[in-house]
Amino acid sequence: MSDDWDTVTKIGSKSGGGAAQRETIVRGKAALNAAQRSGAIVATEKKFTAGNASNKSASSEGQRLTKVDRSDDIVAPQKLDTKIAEAIKNRRAQEGFKLTQAQLAQKVNAQANDIKLLESGTAIKNQALLNKVARVLKISPKTGEPLVDKH
């Protein structure tokens, strides 16, 4: 049986004759082998996406995630870039801001420990928190560069 996710193997025929076997979908290799030994008609057809998974990229992304789930390898979570962590630390200490980690945490509605982890670069990347901190400190959340005022 094929490991291809886009195909389905069926046993039987679609002919409307009364004595013909009813079409069934194979659920495993044993059923496929039994059908082939008995001489039944075996056909493989391409499946079509339905419902919310109508675009091909979402379908392939789901397949990739399933393969990652089935693998035994440990996948490390994405960490914050050290350049951005340094930019947050430096910007917080600059003259115009002069915020403690606790004050910055209060402004972005987060824990002081979250800010500490962001600045150390050991935090798991949390884009929502990073965006809030970047907005308060007026830096780019992608590069850590200071944003220029457009007056």
Side-chain angles (χ1 to χ4, degrees), residues 6 8 11 61 63 83 115:
D6 293 331
V8 63
I11 302 171
E61 179 64 13
Q63 290 177 15
K83 181 180 174 187
I115 303 301

Side-chain angles (χ1 to χ4, degrees), residues 89-148:
K89 189 185 313 182
N90 294 337
R91 187 70 166 190
R92 183 178 59 80
Q94 279 182 355
E95 191 60 44
F97 297 96
K98 286 289 184 189
L99 297 168
T100 64
Q101 288 178 345
Q103 290 169 331
L104 179 58
Q106 187 176 12
K107 284 191 173 209
V108 297
N109 196 22
Q111 299 291 324
N113 192 43
D114 293 340
I115 303 301
K116 176 183 152 199
L117 291 173
L118 271 181
E119 289 183 356
S120 67
T122 58
I124 295 173
K125 191 169 186 180
N126 179 348
Q127 195 64 45
L129 178 61
L130 183 60
N131 288 341
K132 289 178 187 177
V133 169
R135 193 175 311 119
V136 169
L137 297 177
K138 297 179 182 169
I139 60 173
S140 167
K142 293 183 180 179
T143 62
E145 299 294 322
L147 298 176
V148 292

Side-chain angles (χ1 to χ4, degrees), residues 73-92:
D73 298 337
I74 297 172
V75 179
Q78 191 175 13
K79 299 285 185 183
L80 185 66
D81 187 16
T82 55
K83 181 180 174 187
I84 297 172
E86 283 296 318
I88 292 171
K89 189 185 313 182
N90 294 337
R91 187 70 166 190
R92 183 178 59 80

Side-chain angles (χ1 to χ4, degrees), residues 33-99:
N33 290 338
Q36 287 173 335
R37 279 193 304 271
S38 69
I41 301 169
V42 178
T44 302
E45 296 177 9
K46 185 152 180 68
K47 289 196 296 188
F48 295 98
T49 57
N52 294 337
S54 62
N55 70 15
K56 185 67 177 166
S57 65
S59 175
S60 65
E61 179 64 13
Q63 290 177 15
R64 187 192 69 78
L65 291 175
T66 301
K67 289 177 185 177
V68 168
D69 286 344
R70 290 181 180 169
S71 72
D72 292 337
D73 298 337
I74 297 172
V75 179
Q78 191 175 13
K79 299 285 185 183
L80 185 66
D81 187 16
T82 55
K83 181 180 174 187
I84 297 172
E86 283 296 318
I88 292 171
K89 189 185 313 182
N90 294 337
R91 187 70 166 190
R92 183 178 59 80
Q94 279 182 355
E95 191 60 44
F97 297 96
K98 286 289 184 189
L99 297 168

